[in-house]
Amino acid sequence: IETAIAFLTTRVREPDNDDWGKLKRMMKYLQATKGLVRRLEAGNALVIKWYIDGAHSVHHDMRGHTGAAMTLGKGAAYSSLSKQKINTMSSTETELIAINDKMGHVLWTKYFL
């Protein structure tokens, strides 16, 4: 759901019919799943795993999008989504920018925990 919200908030000034459809779909999903609970579980060993991904040229200005999630077992204990600040020439470059953007979070977690 966080991905849909992050995308739709970039389209507030100039929404089109597709954006309205995405908003309606998200609202139907929220209505249908309001009884579900978020479940987090820690594993036996404190193993931190980070998942970082970049999506190439998904915004109207051809910029990429970065997503990251940290787990300590089952479920994401932390997640973050952001629009990339620079344009990239390839999906590989977008992935590298994504890792660079989130590496501060990864290192902070490593040294804090």
Side-chain angles (χ1 to χ4, degrees):
I1 191 74
E2 189 176 359
T3 305
I5 292 169
F7 176 78
L8 289 172
T9 56
T10 65
R11 307 290 295 172
V12 172
R13 290 188 183 149
E14 300 173 13
D16 58 19
N17 287 335
D18 289 336
D19 298 328
W20 284 112
K22 290 172 188 169
L23 178 62
K24 288 177 187 176
R25 184 175 175 204
M26 184 184 71
M27 296 304 292
K28 286 179 186 177
Y29 172 80
L30 287 174
Q31 184 65 29
T33 59
K34 64 183 175 185
L36 296 179
V37 296
R38 187 169 186 171
R39 187 174 184 178
L40 299 174
E41 293 179 11
N44 292 337
L46 185 61
V47 178
I48 302 167
K49 291 185 181 178
W50 278 91
Y51 300 91
I52 301 172
D53 190 32
H56 182 63
S57 297
V58 295
H59 294 283
H60 67 282
D61 57 359
M62 301 307 289
R63 291 192 178 170
H65 206 85
T66 298
M70 180 194 75
T71 65
L72 294 168
K74 186 175 183 180
Y78 170 81
S79 63
S80 135
L81 294 163
S82 59
K83 183 177 178 180
Q84 291 184 349
K85 294 180 177 80
I86 61 173
N87 290 348
T88 55
M89 299 293 288
S90 69
S91 59
T92 302
E93 189 179 3
T94 301
E95 297 286 347
L96 291 172
I97 295 298
I99 293 168
N100 182 65
D101 287 349
K102 299 302 175 184
M103 191 53 67
H105 296 289
V106 173
L107 292 174
W108 182 89
T109 306
K110 176 183 176 182
Y111 294 123
F112 182 74
L113 296 176

